[in-house]
Amino acid sequence: MPDLLIELFSEEIPARMQARAREDLKKLVTDGLVNAGLTYASAGAFSTPRRLTLAVEGLTASSPTTREERKGPRTDAPEAALEGFLRSTGLTRDQLEARDDKKGQVWFATITRPGRPASEIVAEVLDSTIRTFPWPKSMRWGAGSLRWVRPLHSIICLLTDEAGATVVPLTVEGIAAGNTTRGHRFLSPDAFTVTGFDDYAAKLRRAHVILDSAEREAAIRQGAENLAFARGWQIVPDDALLSEVAGLVEWPVPLMGVIADRFLDLPPEVLQTSMKEHQKFFSARNPKTGRIEGFVTVANIETADDGATILAGNQRVLAARLSDAAFFWQNDLREAKSGMQAWAEGLKSVTFHNKLGSQADRITRIAALAREIAPLVGADAGQAEQAARLAKLDLRSAMVGEFPELQGTMGRYYALAAGEAEAVADAARDHYSPLGPSDDVPTAPVSVAVALADKIDTLTGFWAIDEKPTGSKDPYALRRAALGVIRLIVQNSQRIKLRNILWNGLARNMQARSLVAEEPVINALSVLEEHLPEWTRYDDESFLKALSQSAVTEGRTFLLRLRAYQNDLLSFLHDRLKVYLRDQGIRHDIIDAVLAQPGNDDLVLVVSRATALNAMLQTEDGRNLTQGLKRAGNILAQAEEKDGVEYSFGADVKFAETDEERALFAALDTAEPAIRQAIAAEDFPAAMTAIAALRAPIDAFFEAVQVNTDNQIVRRNRLNLLHRIRAAGQQIADFTKVEG
Amino acid sequence: MTSPNRPRSFQDIILRLQNYWAAQGCAVLQPYDMEVGAGTFHPATTLRALGGRSWAAAYVQPSRRPTDGRYGENPNRLQHYYQYQVIIKPSPANLQDLYLGSLRAIGLDPMIHDVRFVEDDWESPTLGAWGLGWEVWCDGMEVSQFTYFQQVGGHDCRPVSGELTYGLERLAMYVLGVEHVMDMPFNDPDAPIPLTYGDVFRQTEREYSRWNFEVADTDTLFQHFKDAEAECARILAADPVDTAGRTIPMAHPAYDQAIKASHIFNLLDARGVISVTERQAYIGRVRALAKACADLFVTTDAAQA
């Protein structure tokens, strides 16, 4: 069982691409080997800035011989048919065998494919792996046409077994595979030969290269922590930076430096970001002061002066960078203290989207929306509006211009400098949240109001210009915005009628962009101002009725369009809610059953209904009850269709013939008011308990009673009784949508 | 840190680079005699990166970035500065080693410093050009840009050129241990008349900063932009056959106009009269000129292998 060693030695591979490249190399090569009939015991991929390496253990020495039998033409078929068959099988006539078949004598061919040695297969697989490697960006170099992430210099392709190591013969665009590589660029530049993976890894280590990135990460982490410990400091953990730095060095040498006193007043986020983004330094915090006072840089070399020159150089570069940052900070603070008017002015010339106006336009809309949302989430309307007006001003600050990732963070500092309340400043920092699905959700009322307004303006804006996400395309991250809205509302248990908010956001965005002629829109909206709250709460039919009765005629098209967008956007939010709840173990059909109920724009209500229903359906009672409700519904629907009437009233216990029937009457008499009260109190678990009590009586009823009897009075009475069951269910959910 | 090998002045570093790259076989060219934003704009790079003919050149290029003017007060920023540019086509297999040799030549020993190649892809929207490569770090400071050109003027580069760009002031300040660019010795500090960078350029930085930001007449500049654009188009559209019956397409004169348009755009940008949306449009117009020049250049003798 030979082992395989592959090394692709190149100029420096971007750190961010290495992890993926290791996976791709392993997958492409091992898949290729397996598809060609080889098997292997294990495989591991490695990377340094200059090499991509794969070690495969326990490879089979050759692929197995395969036999395939193929049926050909009849022996009396025309000559041309036989010749075609011989061509396709690559055999001669005397190698064929005539056998009896249902339709007479037929030629049969047995094609034998001999096994192939591993080296032949490896050469083919590696050649195609190199030529088709899925680098995010690749390039040509010199006069060649091969593409690789950076110029490829040499290839090791070595099969090793008990008898020794053999180079797999392979040449890719003039680069012949061999058994040589090089160590560290400066510390051990000479070429050396290797005989297998263990020899390779050991010789690399002697040549100042740690092959395994995980080992380099561990060495960096340990080294940095030791340096910090010696000063009584702590390293600020940053896994992304650690993995990047490990991809930039073959021989990591952490060095610790001190930040000059004159920079220690900069906000810690600024120090950390500047050091990380520009210098790839780790930050070191002094727990006694809580400040970031030092850094660790990771060199790629051990020097005669123990890194003194390197550290001095890094310290100088950092001082220049932090001088810039301090300059930005002082200038920004001056602007903040004077009210940030210049920044507000500047945002007028920054385009948000060519159909949605400038950032300043957008801020005006968000501020209005934040004001409307504020009372719904327990925030002060004035503070919410003010926070929305300030929240994006830092985009014009010099600091955010330099470090875009500090948006919001700086906004908070500048708002405080401008003398704003803590709640307003916090909202400036937090209004972008949550960005990712695992981000923290703001909880402070003013922050929630502005964060919601920000996202709802984005959604309604892009809906108003018909830029909705399609398939995998979501260039404006609208799904993320929708999830943000959902999490802000649900995780904070905020009772909000979304229809109203969506309506207002859409109206503002559509009006602002003059998507219809201006005059009728203003007329329509001004008339609507008074009716808006009621209208938007109604279903489509009531909306249209109100519309036709109103004085609004000119803006009718506009309003209908607005209404359509509102419905569409709400169902988009419902779709995202399904995804969100599915991740929490609630099936989509349960959510569908709940969404059919009134008040479905109140997401907290939807979630508590769905949660309660989901819990009930986990029980046997719940599942059987669902069956009973569906059965009642079906029988009733069939009868109603047949008779052309609706059975909805008048069930009377005096026409009941059996005990089971009477028991069901009694159970409904108890359950109905209980359900009603529970729903009114929004106590959905109680509603579920109340309806679950119907399970036994319903089962017993269907067991004992034939609904469609010949006695029409009894039949009608029973159908009306079924209606009571259906109506009880409908108070809770649309059970016809529940699967199973 | 002091060794007899250490350069003593700004010009010493330039001379060492000139000697080094001359020794590697590059034609040492002189700066292009027009205002450009970077050494890449020199036709010795932009146009010569196109076509199949081999090429190796090195030169200093004075470069102007009007928006970077700071009246000579900022320790690192200048509206006029120097780039050192090396271009070799096809890129040799040992280009990284050649480059490291140039660092040794100016006194940066990679055995005592930390020299690293950090991913940084290069793109010039105005030239319709891009390439992959690195910024080279020395002790955490970017000292050069190292690029394998993939496309220029919208044309695939075949063969590929390797391009090295050194920001001379920043590099020299680091090598010489100077904190403020204006304090850097320009000639030998022991010369009979020692001159600093400030002695040579403080005055001009002040004057040009004022002119760039406040005085340059924007109406005139807008007109110059249009004129350059029109002249470029006119040259490109001219009949390649001259009055004497010779075929002489004029890619270089046309390209001069593209360079001119690009610099005027930079001046207008510094005057703050180009809005965010217009910016893209102007860059697009310059790119269209550069591309058209590239289209013509590849048909000329200088582009043939």
Side-chain angles (χ1 to χ4, degrees), chain B residues 65 68-69 76-81 169 181-182 197 205:
Chain B
R65 293 199 179 159
D68 281 354
N76 302 300
R77 291 213 188 212
L78 300 160
Q79 57 83 41
H80 172 282
Y81 65 104
E169 283 81 357
V181 65
M182 294 299 171
Y197 196 91
E205 280 299 308

Side-chain angles (χ1 to χ4, degrees), chain A residues 5-6 60 72 78 176 203 248 256 297 305 370 372 399 405 500 512 520 541 564 634 654 684 693 698 710:
Chain A
L5 171 66
I6 292 171
T60 37
K203 281 181 175 158
L248 285 169
M256 170 155 270
T297 180
D305 65 355
E372 288 158 6
M399 191 70 86
E405 62 271 48
N500 292 337
E541 210 174 309
N634 290 339
K654 75 182 176 202
F684 298 108
I698 290 175
D710 293 339

Side-chain angles (χ1 to χ4, degrees), chain A residues 303-363:
Chain A
T303 63
D305 65 355
D306 286 330
T309 306
I310 296 172
L311 190 58
N314 275 286
Q315 201 108 30
R316 258 192 76 185
V317 180
L318 179 65
R321 292 284 189 193
L322 294 184
S323 298
D324 277 353
F327 177 76
F328 297 150
W329 171 241
Q330 291 307 330
N331 281 358
D332 287 350
L333 277 183
R334 207 172 305 129
E335 175 61 29
K337 283 174 184 155
S338 73
M340 303 187 266
Q341 206 43 50
W343 292 346
E345 201 56 36
L347 285 179
K348 289 182 181 166
S349 61
V350 178
T351 310
F352 169 62
H353 181 285
N354 59 8
K355 289 185 184 167
L356 294 172
S358 67
Q359 284 285 14
D361 295 336
R362 185 159 173 258
I363 288 169

